[in-house]
Each structure stands twice: as structure tokens, then as C-alpha cells.
Amino acid sequence: MSHSTKPMLSAEPVEFSGELLAKMEEAKNLFPNGKEKSALLKMLHLAQAEFGWVSVPTMDKIADLLSIQPVEVYEVATFYTMFHLEPVGKYVFEVCRTGPCMLVGSDQLIEHIGKKLNIGMGETTSDGLFTLKTAECLGGCGYGPLLQCRHRFHEHLTPEKVDELIEQYKRGEIEPGAL
Amino acid sequence: MVKVTIDGIEVSVEPGTTILNAARQIGGDAVPPAMCYYSKLPGTGGKCRTCLVEVAAGSAADPRPMPKLVASCSTPVQDGMVVNNKTSERVHNNRGGVVEFLLANHPLDCPICDQAGECHLQDLGYEHGSAKTRYEEERRTFDPIDIGNKIKLHMNRCILCYRCVFVANQLTDQRVHGVMHRGEHAEISTYIEKAVENDFSGNMIDVCPVGALTDRTFRFKSRVWFLKPMEAERSCTKCCGKAVVWMFGNEIYRITARKDKYGEVEEIDQKTAWLCNDCRFEKKDAADWNILGPRVINRQSVISQGKYATTIDKPVKRIG
Amino acid sequence: MKSRKLLLEHLDVPGIQGIETYVKQGGYTTLEKALKKMSPDEVVEEVKKSGLRGRGGAGFPTGLKWSFLAKPEGIPRYLVCNADESEPGTFKDRYLMEKIPHLLVEGMILSSYALGANTSYIYIRGEFMYVLEILQKAIQEAYAKGYLGKNIFGSGFDHDLVVTPGGGAYICGEETALLESLEGKRGNPRIKPPFPAVKGLWASPTVVNNVESIAAVVPIIRDGGDAYASIGIGKSTGTKLISACGNLARPGVYEIELGLSVEEFIYGDDYCRGIANGKKLKACVPGGSSVPILPHFLVTKTAAGENRLMTYESLADGGFQSGSMLGSGGFIVFDEDQCIVRNTWNFTRFYAHESCGQCSPCREGTGWMEKVLHRLETGKGQMHDIDLLADINKKIEGNTICPLGDAAAWPVAAAIRHFREEFEWHVTHPEEAQKRNYGLIQQPVVA
Ligand SMILES: Cc1cc2nc3c(=O)[nH]c(=O)nc-3n(C[C@H](O)[C@H](O)[C@H](O)COP(=O)(O)O)c2cc1C
Ligand code: SF4
Ligand code: FES
Ligand code: FES
């Protein structure tokens, strides 16, 4: 096992739309003067919803908006699991793998999705549509096995239901659950 | 003043003093080892857990023992508190456990490590380690990286004491490195390639308890115990200019701050004698310095013993 | 026996997510009563009387916690709601917030009044972003009605309520890690002292409470502390949301009166209706993944042969030797086909994944245990690994900054304590263990 941070340095510079900037401003304003750093996680979520992932230029821009050092954003973004620090597919399937879900078949479900999409863990389909990841307990243990995609939970899954779900996503029928 | 008893020795200290600092006032065997706490860097401590002690009585008012061992570096004393450090078998066992954890993923590359001989983990392993590691798993590895042209980071050796992060926060105007990721993947890093360039960044090397941050300008690889540490000073506009220069013959191989018996940068004239990068990295000519005389190294480290323990092979049992 | 419902009473009323329906069912009248007729201290007093214990896992009396809050002049105080809900097996807070968001909003305002907090925060795990939006809508509705903002119900009490997301980290459920995260930092638990009651959010005195604890304050103030305390047994008062999951015929969130028998909860028609697919019960983790696992013969009965009840005390009966804990109420049930070694490895992988990495026993110890357990599970373990695990366990427990270390250690210790023969079987029958599961363990014959 060897790992050392090697972020994508080739990432293009980012342009934040006026709408995104307004949402970020709104997030900052929820906190008292001088405590705007509290909005950092929300801002990372907003940026990810917009760009699909969080690049170094995105983080640098957020640091700038909060008047903090870029490293403070890197430290935070790498701590939390929800932020994709590398490009991902349009739809990221995060399947819960923790005990209660495992008891009701998450292992088999994960295997099924990998076979169906023909990708391994953390990989993206060649059409750039789907990425498969696992997640730890998503707080829906009674409704497992389940997965999360773009802030939407898909619960009580079976291989058949997942197959159908993939088709629905391909047809663009499922909107993000939030943001 | 409040009274506290540590290993049977009573001492009076200011209210709010931590157990560790009270023990340092007593000195000797009563002092727990500290790998992350650094008295000159407010906010440090609590993380490594090597300083765990047993509180046999919480205070005179409430003499019940504390159920868990506590981190002496971050637990304030109470009047009438009774603490066991060296005299507690439980402390010895659990501290041994902590040392085993710190060494679990440690590369044990002491023979090629610049810190060998002045490494706190080496000292600790010597006192608490056991001859055989029980860790049979693959060790976590990172590639060594240069953070700027002065400092090398061997993340493999890092024990995540966070001291260098506090240095960057407290002594420099811009922190560019920090702790990325979490759990056993946590690492000290700049995340993207960035040089740590700052007048005082070199102090990170001095506070690092192990060989994770080392001096890239340390000329020729030499074992520190072949070098003669000399007290030296020069007039400097950025720092106090009071240092230890490490010499071989008339050549300066390396420059460090002056450190006390706890491995901390000394206070001189009521100020912590941090060094600026100029003094540390650029003044390698003996003519740059006024050399005052030999530095007395009083740590029980191998430097003063003039020999190097290649294996951690002697579990020293200290409990009577 | 059907349980009384205090939190989920109006669950089935159509439109209860919206403020109009919530108000029609009597919503916000409790807040009005408190603000107009009660002093903050009187509210605290009722909560004390109710015997309510923190529903986040530790079970600390809520009223007592509130009374510890430092109240220096000129410094704001904060109430922070812990909606990080990430303990495996627990999904009750999400249910409550999603179904009846106004109950939490009303509870937040009411509790803040008691504590003298003019601003409060709900910190919700990032994965519940859609629930955050439900709460945000509820908050907007409450502002529009004047239940939030300035001079609520003409009482002179001002209050602002903000909901903000996490980013994916179980450790942010630990209250000081939560506060760090709420300040926009890494979720590293703080070194205590100081405690949040003295120095919490932005170094101000802060109370952190679980979603369910705060919601329960509404019925407590509505009916009075004594009425609440009359439900339940001994120090386990009131109702509790239990998240039932695993191999149950009818998993889900149930509001129970504390004191219900475990037997009835698992097998009763009003509750989980037994093990799924007619299988047998093998084991149960009754309070979220960090509490000790119980083998089937200790689930519905204590070691002394008494009926096990859903109370803090009864579930803990027998201590760690033969008991467990109510914890967060994450009730995980294992059928006869499940592998305890695999599950223990899975849980340990969870804790290793979620360790913040600050302190060495947890950072190194959880990762080490995970690797040893993985070897055991995949048939590459040796007998001495089992003792090694038990020893690593002891070196973690109690030696860490925050209780995540204990939470990681306890499940392993309990699994080895009760299911040692199943671990040993993985070592002695490595090939067979890859093909089939061990099955039920036998109840030891007591001499
Ligand atoms: C690792 C860890 C995770 C925790 N997760 C949660 C959580 O998700 N939700 C929660 O309410 N409390 C959680 N707690 C407990 C909180 O620290 C705290 O005790 C609780 O929020 C207090 O609220 P209560 O008194 O109302 O229960 C956790 C504790 C630890 C140590
Ligand atoms: S016990 Fe684990 S999670 Fe808690 S502070 Fe230590 S490393 Fe972090
Ligand atoms: S274990 Fe999968 S949601 Fe909790
Ligand atoms: S020195 Fe006290 S915990 Fe590290």
C-alpha cells in the first residue's frame, strides 16, 4: 500500500457562475461576522454539485472567497468522504457496505453493479456516465441494501431494481435529490 | 498554589498547571515522556498518548481515582491530586502499548535516518519497546518528498504529533502544509507541490520528534554522534542568533536551535530561541559564527553515549 | 401491547411535513405556552423532572447537562443539534426529521429558550442533504409565522435557527468533532477539558443534543415532566425511537415505551414480527454498532434468566460479561446464516475508515485490528491472532482522545468473548469457512 497525495494538477482553471457565487454568499451569510469559515463544507457541496468534483483551482477559489489559506480547504476536503477530488462519472453510485446493509445483501449488490456496468471499485464507465464507489453506513440501515446518487437514496435494492435504475439514469429521468 | 503528588513526590504549582508540567518541576523519573506536547507551542498535546498517567486521587475534595489513564500534558492538576507515573504497572503497560502503536507502521529505518541518535521515538522504543514486533501486516508507505529546497519530508516516519503545523500557524505568516486525509491515511502534506518558504519554517525540523522533517542542507550524510555540537551565536536581525553548530573539524555540517532536556527549543532571555532560516540554512561557514564552546548534551540519548543502539532489544523493566 | 406515541403521534396525518397541518395538530402551542407562561429555568426544571436521557447514545440526563451550561455575561450561548446520525444501525433521526420536521424546529426554539441561546444550529450529515432542504423549508415557514426571528409570541425572546451540512464523517457525531466541523474544520475531536458547556462553538458555552432528545422536549413541556417520567421503568423514562434493521421480517423505526420486552419487540405483531424468512435468531447488537453483541441466548433473557427489557438498565444487565447497551437504539439482528467473524471485520473496517487519525491508539489500533480480522475472515488467520486482537483491544480502550476508540474496541472484545469458537473455527477450517457459515453457537452449560 503506497499512497501519497497526488492531486490532478492539470485541472483547468474554474469560473464560478454568478448563480453559484450567490449561493455561496448566502451560505456565508448564515454565520456571524468573522465566522464565515463555517460555510466551507456547504460551499464545497455547492461547487461539487456544479462541477461534478472538487479540483484544486475550485478549492483555491473557495479559499479566496473565505479569505483563508488554500491548505485549510485541502485539509478539510480530504478529511470528508463526500468530496470527489478526482473527476468522476456523471452519476456516482455510492453503495453502503456497512454491517446492517451487508446482512441484507450489499456485498452481492456491489458485485452485481460492478458486473453490470463492467467497472471495478472507484472506476468510471467508458461513456463517463457512472462511477461505482462504496460508502460507510448512510443512515438508512432498515431500508438496505441501498445506494446514494446525487443526494438521492435508492433503497430496498435488488439486482433487478438496480438494472432498472441504471436505465432510468441513462434516460435522464432522475433529478438530483437536493442542491 | 496547589499541591500535587507524583510518584510519591509532592510539589506545589500554580493552579491550572498540567500534570506533565508539574512533573517537570519535580524532574527525573517522575516526568512522563511527551511526543506531541511542546510547551512553547500553545495548543499542542493530547494526541500521541505517550504521556498517559494514572490519577490515583482526583483531588483532596474528591479523592476518587480517575477510571481511565489521562494525558498528563493536557490534564490540569487539582489540589491534593495523586498521580502515578513511573510507579504504575498499568501506566507502563499502556505506554508500552502506545509505543507499539507508534512503531506499528514505522519503517524502523534508523540505520539510514538522519534523526538517529536524537530521535525521541528511538529513546521511547528503547525504554518501552519489546524485542519482537507483533505487527505482521504490510506497512503503510509514502514516498519521501522535498518541501522546498531546505526541508525533506519522510512521511513514513511521521507520528502525526501536529507540532510542525503549530509552528507554521504560530511562527510563520502563511501555512502551506497541513494534515490531509484521515485515520491511518492521515499525512502531513502540502497537497499540491508547494515549497514551504518562510523565514521561520526551518523550526519545523527542530520540533519534529522523529526523522520525518529533516534538514536538506545537512552537509554530507554524517551520523550526528560523529559531530561535535558547539554553542555559537551571531548577530541577526530576524532571530536571536543563538544556535548549536554541529562541527567536524572546522567545518559546520548542520545548525540547530539550542534544545533543553525535553528536546524543546530553549528559552533565552525569556524568549523561545527559534532560529530564522538564514541562520539555520545559509550560515555554514565557521566565520559566520562566534563559537562559544562545546554544548553539553544531557539527554540520555545515544549522542552522549557515543554509540548507537541498532536494535531495540532491551525492554527495560522498571517496575519494582 | 401497543406503545404510546409522543414523537410519532401524528406521523400518519397527511401533510404533517407542512406547518399548517402541524399547527392544526397542536404544533407550536407548547412553544407558545412556554414562552408566555414559563421562565427558562422552569423549562429546564420540567426536563429534569422528566428523566429524559440523551438519545444520541451516551444516555446522559438532558436536564442535568443543561444545568451545567456556563452563563457568563456578554458572551453568546449556543444550542447545537447533533443530526450527524452515522452509527451503523441507526436511522431514527433521519426518519423523524424527514417526516415531522417541525417537531425538531419547535424543540430547537423551545430548548434554546430554556438555555438562553439566541442562535442555534442543526448540524446534519452531508448525506442527508435532501433532509436538510426539508428542514430549511420548515424553518422558512416558521420564520414566516413569526415562530422564529424577533420577539417570538411577543415574549421578547429572539431566535435564529440555522441548518448546515457535514461532509461525510462518522466522527463528526462526537460532539467536539461536530463543533470543529461546524467551524469549517477537519472533524478532529477536541482535547477535553475544556468541555463544550464552558467552551464550545467558537469558544462560547454550548449544549450539544441529539435530534430525538430535542424533539422529546416538546411533549415533555406539553404534558409536564412528571407525565413523561410516568412512562417507562426506573431511570429509563419516556419513549424511545428504535431503528430496527438486519434480518428482521419488518425492519424500520418504531417508537416504543421504554420497558417493552425485547421478546415482544423482535417477535411482536406491532413491531418487527420476528426474523426474516422464518430463520432463527443468531445474535443481536441492540444499540448501534459500537455496543457489545449478544448471542441468541442472551438477547431476550439476561444471564440470570430474567426477561430482557428495552431499557438502559436491562440491556446492560450483566455488564460487558453478558450484557450490552441501549446506546443509540440501533437494533441490529443477525439470523442463523450470518458470519460473526465477517461482521466483526466489517464493523472494524468501519471504525478504521472513520478514525480521525489524531491519536495513535485509535489511528494505528483500528487499522491493525482490521487487517488481522480480514486475515481471519479470509482463512489466513492463526490461533494467536485471536489473542492478539484481544490485546490490541485492551491497549486502545480508554487510552484515546474520544470514545471512538472504545466504540471500535468493544465490538471486537464482545465478539471474541461470545463467539470465540467461531473465530477458532475460521483458523482450523480455513477452506470450509470460505464456503459456509458456522451457524448457531451453543449456549454454554453452566455448572
Ligand atoms: C464516535 C462518536 C459518534 C457519535 N455519533 C453521534 C451521532 O451521530 N448522533 C448523536 O446524536 N450523538 C452521537 N454521539 C454522541 C455525542 O457525542 C453526544 O454525546 C450527543 O450528541 C449528546 O446528545 P444527547 O445527550 O442528546 O444524546 C457520538 C459520539 C461518539 C463518540
Ligand atoms: S479516538 Fe480515534 S477518532 Fe477519536 S480522537 Fe482519537 S483518532 Fe480521532
Ligand atoms: S449500514 Fe447501510 S445504511 Fe446503515
Ligand atoms: S504528549 Fe501528551 S498526548 Fe502526546
Side-chain angles (χ1 to χ4, degrees):
Chain A
M1 176 182 62
S2 173
H3 53 84
S4 206
T5 342
K6 287 192 196 80
M8 307 273 301
L9 285 170
S10 55
E12 298 292 311
V14 284
E15 195 61 53
F16 283 17
S17 67
E19 198 189 340
L20 179 60
L21 285 170
K23 281 187 197 160
M24 290 196 171
E25 200 53 34
E26 196 186 326
K28 276 166 64 180
N29 288 337
L30 288 175
F31 296 96
N33 271 341
K35 315 290 187 209
E36 290 84 358
K37 191 179 173 184
S38 289
L40 177 51
L41 292 175
K42 182 68 179 286
M43 289 164 84
L44 287 165
H45 281 298
L46 288 168
Q48 179 157 299
E50 179 98 0
F51 304 114
W53 66 294
V54 178
S55 67
V56 168
T58 298
M59 291 192 271
D60 290 350
K61 174 84 183 159
I62 290 175
D64 197 40
L65 291 171
L66 288 172
S67 311
I68 58 178
Q69 301 292 344
V71 70
E72 296 179 64
V73 183
Y74 310 156
E75 283 180 325
V76 166
T78 58
F79 185 90
Y80 298 92
T81 53
M82 288 185 77
F83 305 115
H84 309 307
L85 302 175
E86 280 169 31
V88 286
K90 183 166 184 197
Y91 307 113
V92 183
F93 279 6
E94 286 172 306
V95 193
C96 175
R97 66 176 188 182
T98 312
C101 277
M102 182 181 77
L103 293 178
V104 292
S106 61
D107 286 350
Q108 294 81 341
L109 187 78
I110 292 165
E111 201 181 310
H112 174 83
I113 300 174
K115 277 203 190 120
K116 174 86 189 173
L117 295 173
N118 198 19
I119 48 175
M121 201 44 65
E123 291 177 0
T124 301
T125 51
S126 52
D127 58 7
L129 274 186
F130 296 98
T131 300
L132 176 59
K133 289 193 176 187
T134 52
E136 295 295 349
C137 180
L138 289 168
C141 327
Y143 321 119
L146 53 81
L147 67 83
Q148 194 182 39
C149 181
R150 297 205 299 178
H151 299 298
R152 192 174 283 286
F153 281 82
H154 300 284
E155 302 172 337
H156 300 295
L157 291 174
T158 59
E160 298 73 41
K161 282 198 200 162
V162 167
D163 293 350
E164 174 54 22
L165 193 64
I166 290 172
E167 292 311 313
Q168 285 174 310
Y169 270 108
K170 278 188 185 162
R171 294 193 298 264
E173 289 169 5
I174 303 178
E175 288 298 306
L179 285 180
Chain B
M1 299 295 269
V2 296
K3 280 207 177 79
V4 48
T5 308
I6 303 172
D7 283 351
I9 307 167
E10 195 179 90
V11 62
S12 288
V13 296
E14 294 284 339
T17 306
T18 60
I19 297 172
L20 182 81
N21 281 329
R24 284 185 178 183
Q25 292 184 24
I26 296 172
D29 274 354
V31 187
M35 296 289 287
C36 68
Y37 171 74
Y38 203 86
S39 68
K40 281 93 183 177
L41 296 169
T44 50
K47 300 190 196 302
C48 71
R49 318 305 283 175
T50 52
C51 70
L52 291 173
V53 294
E54 182 178 72
V55 176
S59 67
D62 182 358
R64 284 176 304 173
M66 293 190 182
K68 293 179 180 180
L69 301 181
V70 303
S72 58
C73 69
S74 31
T75 308
V77 297
Q78 307 291 335
D79 195 32
M81 189 185 254
V82 178
V83 176
N84 297 322
N85 173 46
K86 208 42 153 273
T87 52
S88 160
E89 176 101 40
R90 192 170 150 222
V91 169
H92 186 83
N93 285 341
N94 283 279
R95 198 174 282 159
V98 171
V99 174
E100 187 174 23
F101 287 135
L102 289 175
L103 289 172
N105 273 294
H106 194 81
L108 299 174
D109 59 346
C110 312
I112 54 155
C113 176
D114 276 354
Q115 193 89 355
E118 42 182 17
C119 173
H120 290 234
L121 189 56
Q122 221 176 17
D123 297 347
L124 204 60
Y126 192 78
E127 268 184 60
H128 288 274
S130 93
K132 252 175 48 204
T133 176
R134 298 185 295 170
Y135 193 76
E136 297 171 14
E137 322 305 322
E138 203 183 322
R139 290 200 155 82
R140 150 179 94 223
T141 56
F142 303 84
D143 300 326
I145 49 169
D146 295 330
I147 46 177
N149 56 356
K150 304 284 192 277
I151 302 173
K152 193 167 204 79
L153 169 64
H154 280 273
M155 187 56 218
N156 282 346
R157 299 174 185 152
C158 172
I159 60 151
L160 287 161
C161 68
Y162 285 58
R163 284 176 180 176
C164 61
V165 182
F166 284 86
V167 164
N169 271 340
Q170 293 173 23
L171 299 183
T172 74
D173 52 10
Q174 199 192 41
R175 179 160 69 87
V176 299
H177 87 296
V179 180
M180 305 299 145
H181 307 288
R182 70 183 192 201
E184 60 169 354
H185 302 285
E187 60 170 309
I188 297 286
S189 162
T190 50
Y191 191 56
I192 54 172
E193 271 173 55
K194 258 192 197 164
V196 178
E197 295 288 7
N198 188 286
D199 277 351
F200 283 85
S201 61
N203 291 293
M204 286 164 31
I205 300 169
D206 273 336
V207 302
C208 180
V210 294
L213 292 169
T214 50
D215 184 343
R216 288 192 64 206
T217 69
F218 188 175
R219 287 202 288 165
F220 312 104
K221 296 276 167 233
S222 179
R223 304 319 249 156
V224 289
W225 56 92
F226 293 138
L227 301 178
K228 265 211 310 274
M230 306 293 283
E231 271 186 28
E233 64 182 23
R234 59 185 294 273
S235 75
C236 175
T237 50
K238 290 183 184 148
C239 71
C240 64
K242 296 186 196 322
V244 174
V245 298
W246 298 74
M247 305 186 75
F248 190 76
N250 286 330
E251 272 186 274
I252 297 180
Y253 275 60
R254 173 175 83 145
I255 296 161
T256 64
R258 296 188 195 164
K259 298 193 197 171
D260 64 17
K261 59 171 173 265
Y262 303 116
E264 292 191 12
V265 174
E266 266 182 14
E267 290 211 348
I268 301 175
D269 301 331
Q270 266 127 51
K271 277 208 349 240
T272 309
W274 304 113
L275 286 187
C276 71
N277 285 6
D278 244 13
C279 288
R280 180 188 306 273
F281 298 127
E282 312 294 344
K283 306 293 172 195
K284 294 286 172 71
D285 203 328
D288 291 331
W289 295 89
N290 178 17
I291 298 186
L292 304 168
R295 170 81 177 169
V296 183
I297 301 288
N298 59 359
R299 285 179 61 221
Q300 38 94 281
S301 97
V302 289
I303 309 177
S304 44
Q305 293 164 14
K307 68 175 191 337
Y308 173 50
T310 39
T311 47
I312 300 163
D313 57 0
K314 248 204 262 164
V316 180
K317 187 113 168 102
R318 299 199 169 227
I319 309 298
Chain C
M1 179 187 84
K2 255 200 154 60
S3 280
R4 259 168 295 182
K5 306 259 184 286
L6 297 179
L7 301 172
L8 303 181
E9 190 182 352
H10 303 300
L11 183 73
D12 298 327
V13 178
I16 193 70
Q17 259 197 357
I19 200 161
E20 301 298 342
T21 311
Y22 182 74
V23 168
K24 242 182 248 147
Q25 299 299 325
Y28 290 102
T29 50
T30 307
L31 177 67
E32 183 172 7
K33 168 177 111 177
L35 259 54
K36 287 185 169 161
K37 302 208 182 103
M38 294 170 80
S39 71
D41 285 346
E42 282 167 350
V43 177
V44 175
E45 212 36 55
E46 288 306 313
V47 174
K48 274 191 182 162
K49 266 196 237 164
S50 74
L52 174 67
R53 293 168 66 173
R55 302 300 195 216
F60 192 81
T62 305
L64 195 59
K65 182 179 201 163
W66 288 7
S67 65
F68 292 152
L69 185 68
K71 298 188 172 166
E73 280 299 310
I75 297 175
R77 303 191 268 284
Y78 297 106
L79 170 66
V80 174
C81 172
N82 189 342
D84 191 59
E85 187 161 70
S86 325
E87 168 101 351
T90 318
F91 49 102
K92 65 187 177 73
D93 296 338
R94 167 185 140 182
Y95 190 79
L96 186 66
M97 293 185 287
E98 183 178 348
K99 304 285 182 191
I100 319 179
H102 281 286
L103 188 64
L104 178 60
V105 174
E106 184 175 2
M108 286 297 285
I109 309 168
L110 186 53
S111 306
S112 295
Y113 172 68
L115 296 166
N118 294 112
T119 313
S120 63
Y121 295 91
I122 300 172
Y123 177 94
I124 187 166
R125 64 180 297 183
E127 292 88 343
F128 290 174
M129 196 65 83
Y130 77 99
V131 185
L132 178 145
E133 294 189 353
I134 292 170
L135 287 170
Q136 227 155 19
K137 183 158 174 284
I139 291 169
Q140 276 160 10
E141 289 176 335
Y143 270 108
K145 290 261 184 203
Y147 304 153
L148 275 167
K150 298 261 174 252
N151 195 17
I152 303 167
F153 288 117
S155 64
F157 178 65
D158 305 337
H159 193 73
D160 288 310
L161 172 56
V162 173
V163 49
T164 185
Y170 163 69
I171 189 57
C172 292
E174 193 279 336
E175 56 184 8
T176 60
L178 185 155
L179 295 174
E180 286 286 295
S181 185
L182 186 45
E183 293 181 6
K185 302 181 198 152
R186 294 165 63 82
N188 284 350
R190 295 178 181 169
I191 321 279
K192 284 146 278 198
F195 290 92
V198 179
K199 268 192 178 167
L201 183 63
W202 302 310
S204 283
T206 304
V207 165
V208 181
N209 272 131
N210 172 256
V211 172
E212 187 189 345
S213 312
I214 291 172
V217 173
V218 179
I220 287 170
I221 300 305
R222 183 190 64 202
D223 306 339
D226 288 334
Y228 189 87
S230 72
I231 303 171
I233 296 177
K235 285 188 173 153
S236 297
T237 62
T239 64
K240 171 95 189 80
L241 298 178
I242 304 292
S243 333
C245 60
N247 308 118
L248 286 164
R250 208 170 62 145
V253 175
Y254 296 93
E255 182 171 9
I256 62 154
E257 288 179 28
L258 289 170
L260 181 75
S261 78
V262 173
E263 170 101 35
E264 177 158 10
F265 183 67
I266 296 179
Y267 297 100
D269 271 352
D270 291 328
Y271 305 98
C272 303
R273 296 189 187 164
I275 312 304
N277 306 316
K279 296 249 160 88
K280 290 198 195 83
L281 171 72
K282 176 170 183 174
C284 173
V285 174
S289 61
S290 51
V291 309
I293 191 169
L294 295 173
H296 61 89
F297 50 87
L298 288 172
V299 176
T300 55
K301 296 259 191 267
T302 66
E306 282 164 17
N307 278 337
R308 185 90 75 184
L309 308 178
M310 300 287 277
T311 62
Y312 292 94
E313 295 74 21
S314 178
L315 282 169
D317 188 286
F320 276 11
Q321 214 44 49
S322 63
S324 184
M325 286 152 89
L326 178 61
S328 61
F331 197 89
I332 312 167
V333 167
F334 301 70
D335 71 26
E336 58 195 298
D337 292 340
Q338 303 300 334
C339 172
I340 298 300
V341 178
R342 185 165 183 78
N343 190 73
T344 310
W345 163 61
N346 181 298
F347 278 177
T348 306
R349 180 179 66 181
F350 170 83
Y351 289 107
H353 185 264
E354 301 302 326
S355 163
C356 84
Q358 261 191 115
C359 62
S360 38
C362 172
R363 176 182 67 241
E364 305 296 338
T366 53
W368 191 356
M369 289 201 300
E370 188 271 327
K371 291 178 191 80
V372 174
L373 278 161
H374 188 246
R375 278 198 285 108
L376 280 165
E377 152 64 10
T378 51
K380 298 185 197 86
Q382 293 173 291
M383 263 327 166
H384 70 246
D385 284 332
I386 303 170
D387 292 320
L388 175 65
L389 276 175
D391 190 60
I392 300 173
N393 221 283
K394 281 200 212 104
K395 300 279 164 59
I396 299 174
E397 192 189 344
N399 289 343
T400 53
I401 295 175
C402 88
L404 188 138
D406 299 345
W410 292 341
V412 178
I416 296 177
R417 186 183 311 124
H418 296 301
F419 297 91
R420 192 174 185 109
E421 58 186 68
E422 192 166 332
F423 281 84
E424 290 175 351
W425 179 76
H426 275 72
V427 175
T428 53
H429 299 74
E431 272 155 37
E432 206 182 337
Q434 299 312 301
K435 292 191 206 104
R436 72 169 182 95
N437 285 326
Y438 185 76
L440 295 181
I441 58 154
Q442 297 306 309
Q443 177 161 10
V445 188
V446 191

